[in-house]
Amino acid sequence: MNIPYVDLAGQNTLLKKEILSAINNVLKSGQFILGDKVKDFEDSFAGLCGTKYALGVGTGTDALILSLRALDIGEGSEVITVANSFVSTASCIALAGAKPVFVDVGEDYNINPALVENAINPRTKAILPVHLTGRPADMTAILKIAKAHNLAVVEDCAQAVCAEYKNKPVGSFGAIGCFSLHPLKNLSACGDGGMITVNDENLYKKMQILRNNGFSSRNDCDVWSPNSRLDTVQAALLLVKLKYLKEWTDKRRENASFYQKYLSGLTQIKVPIEQPYEKSVYHTFVIQAENREKLIEYLKEKGIGAKIHYPIPIHLQPAAKKLGYKPGSLPVTERQSKLILSLPIYPGLSKKELKYIVNCICDFYQQ
Ligand SMILES: *Cc1c(COP(=O)(O)O)cnc(C)c1O
């Protein structure tokens, strides 16, 4: 059997007719930047996330940078976040001109709220939690700390569209939520794209200006800013995909239940367990595995793609050198980075393929 880690082409093959027709309509309209399709997608996305507004931008990374800039977070400011995420989680802070401050994570791979207060100082302006793997961070605790210290919360929801914490969708808790539509994400463009969710009208208006070269009207440029908009062609095909998102999310959750059922008996691996107050959307299904490198090799021999998200924590990346972290600075993050392994979890996986993956993992540890 050959089971890739993801099957990006598969999803598009199934929707080919619908997607081509949506693209064709954009070609015919001649409207390639913003316009009705982008607005329709933004409105649907805001509805999905339970916020008043949503804004389409160029990438998830830009969503994060523009959000911080909209909150006037720049030089002299600090933002508290995690180091076990994709690099954008921290680079956005530096790119906005501020300083990323890392705290360690818990067994759920999300920010450990008990460690946040210690990292706060007079320069701290925001907390940037990530809903990593598609599992919501502990928003009750995070919002409580933010409120007590008058900090903004910017949620990195790039992996977590439709995830819920206490029956409320992620992206609706903080001042701003940031999403990625990168082809690997649960809801994806055929190229790059990003979304911002927000309730505050002033912030919404500010970010409309920030994504559009700083123009507040046709001829008035209020502030230097890049050009970062969601392409109309992407919005049109995303409106098609949006109709299937619930089905895909349910399928990811079913796949996760299967793994949870058949892998939790193995003492050599640790499987994520969902809490009753959370709904995880399993962007990745991350286990912690004894003998990880050999397991990856074994799975590869058996035709199964598995990946590590992420092998090098951000605080130990060359780009982070100036921040002064060292091996040992974030013990849980670093320990997990040596054990974690993401198994295939995409919606198109068949029962037969899931069984095969589970059997191979069991065989590996029993041989
Ligand atoms: C993918 C991702 C991003 C960046 O999104 P892009 O659209 O690739 O710029 C940011 N944060 C996290 C957690 C991600 O997974």
Side-chain angles (χ1 to χ4, degrees):
M1 241 193 263
N2 182 33
I3 309 172
Y5 176 68
V6 285
D7 177 20
L8 297 181
Q11 184 187 74
N12 295 325
T13 314
L14 283 173
L15 303 181
K16 193 169 165 192
K17 253 176 100 178
E18 273 186 278
I19 286 178
L20 287 180
S21 146
I23 293 174
N24 200 26
N25 287 337
V26 176
L27 297 185
K28 276 193 293 192
S29 78
Q31 171 89 58
F32 300 123
I33 303 289
L34 300 178
D36 291 347
K37 284 294 166 199
V38 173
K39 188 72 177 70
D40 285 354
F41 180 66
E42 288 173 337
D43 289 346
S44 304
F45 199 86
L48 192 71
C49 299
T51 56
K52 263 201 198 133
Y53 309 102
L55 254 111
V57 293
T59 64
T61 306
D62 281 351
L64 288 160
I65 297 170
L66 299 185
S67 299
L68 294 173
R69 290 189 58 199
L71 291 162
D72 296 318
I73 291 168
E75 224 173 291
S77 308
E78 294 186 3
V79 178
I80 296 171
T81 191
V82 292
N84 65 342
S85 182
F86 184 64
V87 288
S88 304
T89 297
S91 66
C92 67
I93 301 168
L95 287 165
K99 181 182 167 192
V101 172
F102 298 113
V103 300
D104 219 339
V105 295
E107 278 309 310
D108 62 352
Y109 306 117
N110 284 326
I111 194 164
N112 181 346
L115 302 175
V116 171
E117 217 135 30
N118 251 342
I120 297 173
N121 66 46
R123 291 178 300 279
T124 311
K125 293 284 159 11
I127 308 173
L128 201 161
V130 183
H131 306 294
L132 202 72
T133 76
R135 183 175 188 174
D138 183 355
M139 292 315 293
T140 303
I142 294 163
L143 291 175
K144 194 171 160 212
I145 298 165
K147 196 168 172 211
H149 297 270
N150 196 23
L151 306 176
V153 172
V154 175
E155 297 171 70
D156 184 340
C157 310
Q159 305 191 353
V161 64
C162 290
E164 291 175 12
Y165 176 83
K166 298 181 179 167
N167 295 315
K168 200 166 130 65
V170 300
S172 67
F173 289 89
I176 303 176
C178 300
F179 295 77
S180 168
L181 303 166
H182 180 280
L184 284 169
K185 306 295 155 91
N186 290 19
L187 175 65
S188 63
C190 296
D192 277 314
M195 289 302 284
I196 295 173
T197 51
V198 60
N199 281 313
D200 182 89
E201 193 184 356
N202 287 329
L203 282 176
Y204 170 64
K205 287 187 171 157
K206 208 166 164 184
M207 290 188 287
Q208 276 185 315
I209 294 170
L210 287 176
R211 75 170 168 181
N212 198 26
N213 293 115
F215 279 102
S216 58
S217 66
R218 193 174 190 299
N219 297 316
D220 298 296
C221 181
D222 289 7
V223 47
W224 304 140
S225 203
N227 153 12
S228 181
R229 298 164 300 227
L230 179 67
D231 282 337
T232 311
V233 121
Q234 300 294 356
L237 67 89
L238 281 156
L239 277 164
V240 172
K241 289 194 179 187
L242 201 55
K243 294 189 284 181
Y244 300 89
L245 182 59
K246 188 179 178 307
E247 188 184 318
W248 293 333
T249 303
D250 290 345
K251 193 67 193 353
R252 281 178 183 273
R253 288 175 52 74
E254 271 174 43
N255 294 347
S257 303
F258 189 90
Y259 281 139
Q260 278 151 348
K261 184 166 172 196
Y262 293 102
L263 289 177
S264 40
L266 289 177
T267 54
Q268 296 92 339
I269 64 176
K270 194 181 266 173
V271 172
I273 302 297
E274 210 169 305
Q275 299 302 318
Y277 53 82
E278 58 187 27
K279 179 184 170 191
S280 177
V281 295
Y282 297 98
H283 169 62
T284 50
F285 189 85
V286 176
I287 61 170
Q288 290 179 45
E290 264 178 32
N291 229 340
R292 179 184 68 178
E293 308 310 325
K294 286 233 172 73
L295 175 61
I296 295 178
E297 230 8 78
Y298 182 80
L299 292 176
K300 201 171 156 195
E301 277 166 31
K302 298 286 173 187
I304 300 166
K307 295 252 189 288
I308 302 170
H309 300 99
Y310 298 90
I312 306 172
I314 306 171
H315 69 295
L316 301 179
Q317 290 286 359
K321 204 161 185 169
K322 272 201 283 189
L323 297 171
Y325 293 90
K326 295 196 169 50
S329 298
L330 302 169
V332 180
T333 298
E334 291 166 36
R335 172 168 51 77
Q336 287 175 351
S337 74
K338 297 184 180 91
L339 298 171
I340 50 174
L341 182 64
S342 308
L343 300 177
I345 187 82
Y346 58 90
L349 277 176
S350 68
K351 267 274 143 59
K352 200 171 143 202
E353 289 170 321
L354 283 166
K355 273 185 195 152
Y356 176 72
I357 297 168
V358 163
N359 286 339
C360 287
I361 296 172
C362 291
D363 289 348
F364 173 76
Y365 285 114
Q366 273 149 24
Q367 71 190 349

